[in-house]
Amino acid sequence: AALSDRRGAAVLYADRVGRTSVGMSLTRRLAGKGFDEVGTDVEAITLSDHVDREVDLLKLDVEGMELRVIAELRDRDRLRRVRNLVVEFHRDRENAHNRLGSLLGLLEGEGFECLVDSDIPPPYDAYKRSTSHSCIVYAYRTGCREGG
């Protein structure tokens, strides 16, 4: 099964040669990047179907589906049950629906404080030329920090 924003049949894309598992995604992240991409039919499930009680820490790595999966949690009133999030966010220029600013806005609108960590050093030239990038988003509920 693959985590998505809706239940049902989906196609999970991966590198046929198996050179990497990094690009396995419902979003075709490998397309046009020199990989021999192949799709496999899978069942898509939603995270909200599994968040039925308070969650202290949710770690999410869904290769380009971050905004959709978290928005689905919010839309089904399940995000309020999550106290802390660690999200490996994947930005691809071709993946227009997944934008870091949109994710941060959604989380902050739901009462989270957010920190972003990236391993790209200044002057960011590699980032400007790259078609994809990932970073870590740490989100916590205001007032849920240790000692407060």
Side-chain angles (χ1 to χ4, degrees):
L3 200 54
S4 182
D5 58 336
R6 63 185 78 120
R7 294 179 214 96
V11 179
L12 181 68
Y13 297 95
D15 178 21
R16 180 188 313 271
V17 181
R19 291 178 289 183
T20 181
S21 64
V22 171
M24 288 184 182
S25 178
L26 299 176
T27 65
R28 299 196 70 184
R29 296 186 69 232
L30 299 176
K33 296 179 183 173
F35 293 96
D36 185 11
E37 185 182 62
V38 62
T40 303
D41 293 332
V42 296
E43 175 190 1
I45 60 173
T46 62
L47 187 55
S48 64
D49 287 336
H50 302 279
V51 177
D52 56 359
R53 60 182 156 260
E54 297 297 313
V55 175
D56 287 329
L57 175 64
L58 175 63
K59 200 282 188 188
L60 194 61
D61 182 4
V62 288
E63 301 292 331
M65 293 292 291
E66 296 83 13
L67 182 57
R68 288 182 177 182
V69 168
I70 292 173
E72 189 270 338
L73 273 177
R74 178 205 55 207
D75 295 346
R76 300 249 338 258
D77 200 30
R78 299 294 198 276
L79 188 55
R80 66 179 170 77
R81 296 178 175 174
V82 178
R83 293 184 61 198
N84 301 282
L85 281 152
V86 177
V87 180
E88 186 172 326
F89 179 83
H90 301 86
R91 176 199 180 267
D92 294 282
R93 289 186 184 150
E94 301 82 6
N95 191 358
H97 74 270
N98 207 48
R99 295 289 183 233
L100 182 58
S102 299
L103 176 64
L104 295 175
L106 184 157
L107 291 171
E108 289 174 351
E110 293 296 313
F112 287 93
E113 293 286 333
C114 300
L115 301 168
V116 179
D117 186 26
S118 175
D119 61 356
I120 295 180
Y124 308 111
D125 291 335
Y127 175 75
K128 293 174 189 174
R129 290 188 305 268
S130 175
T131 60
S132 64
H133 171 64
S134 65
C135 62
I136 303 295
V137 175
Y138 300 94
Y140 60 92
R141 296 246 178 229
T142 305
C144 292
R145 286 177 282 183
E146 207 173 328

